[in-house]
Amino acid sequence: MINRVVLVGRLTRDPELRTTGSGISVATFTLAVDRQFTNSQGERGADFVSCVIWRKSAENFCNFTSKGSLVGIDGRIQTRSYDNKDGQRVYVTEVVVDNFSLLESRKDREARGQNGGYTPNAGNNGAPSTNNFPNNGGSQGNSQTNSNQSNAQDPFSGSGDTIDISDDDLPF
């Protein structure tokens, strides 16, 4: 069976860090995930997904995120139940987070914090993204710059010399 969840969204509030009786850190938070489609009024809905993260990952998550933070999570769906104070059975479905990624820069996060909430493209004033990650097939608009850099780094470009390699020299 496969039970895998990958979500990208924004925190609806600051994550809540607690410690169990045995000293294990656990944090809970709700992730707002935009839906891919719009309703008849042209508005995009969102799903609010309850999440839980454990141990050192929970501490790190709480140290580096706050309300409105854009995060990616990887985990699994878990259901559990408990009896509340009135003796009624309560069922809970949540995502148990195995791994997370911070998807906004510190600069954007701090700008959002100063403005009191989410501001799209905060901190970059419409400039293209300046992350250090490779462009995995996306159209970032800087592919021309990347190709010029790769040509400058190629020691064999423009030399006119041919390289003679036999199949016996190749390791595969």
Side-chain angles (χ1 to χ4, degrees):
M1 303 296 160
I2 298 173
N3 181 356
R4 207 80 223 138
V5 176
V6 178
L7 298 171
V8 174
R10 292 194 177 272
L11 298 182
T12 60
R13 64 181 187 281
D14 289 346
E16 188 177 313
L17 182 65
R18 295 185 312 275
T19 306
T20 65
S22 57
I24 298 173
S25 298
V26 58
T28 56
F29 59 95
T30 302
L31 198 63
V33 181
D34 285 339
R35 293 184 179 159
Q36 295 296 318
F37 54 88
T38 58
N39 62 16
S40 59
Q41 289 82 28
E43 299 167 342
R44 189 176 300 273
D47 293 304
F48 298 91
V49 182
S50 298
C51 302
V52 62
I53 186 168
W54 292 87
R55 297 180 175 76
K56 186 66 176 175
S57 294
E59 296 171 19
N60 290 334
F61 190 83
C62 290
N63 287 336
F64 293 103
T65 62
S66 60
K67 179 180 178 179
S69 292
L70 181 64
V71 297
I73 63 165
D74 176 31
R76 59 187 169 81
I77 290 183
Q78 174 179 285
T79 57
R80 60 185 172 88
S81 62
Y82 63 92
D83 294 326
N84 66 8
K85 295 176 185 175
D86 300 331
Q88 296 175 332
R89 175 79 40 168
V90 177
Y91 293 93
V92 178
T93 301
E94 59 198 358
V95 174
V96 179
V97 177
D98 295 327
N99 201 356
F100 70 91
S101 296
L102 306 175
L103 300 179
E104 65 185 347
S105 69
R106 178 177 291 173
K107 184 178 177 182
D108 289 348
R109 189 172 69 240
E110 290 171 354
R112 182 179 36 78
Q114 291 172 355
N115 295 334
Y118 168 66
T119 52
N121 298 325
N124 65 7
N125 297 327
S129 174
T130 57
N131 64 29
N132 294 326
F133 301 107
N135 183 4
N136 294 326
S139 57
Q140 292 289 329
N142 54 1
S143 59
Q144 182 66 31
T145 305
N146 289 342
S147 64
N148 290 343
Q149 288 174 350
S150 64
N151 287 344
Q153 295 172 354
D154 184 4
F156 300 107
S157 68
S159 66
D161 296 335
T162 59
I163 300 172
D164 186 25
I165 299 176
S166 72
D167 289 341
D168 295 333
D169 294 335
L170 298 174
F172 48 88

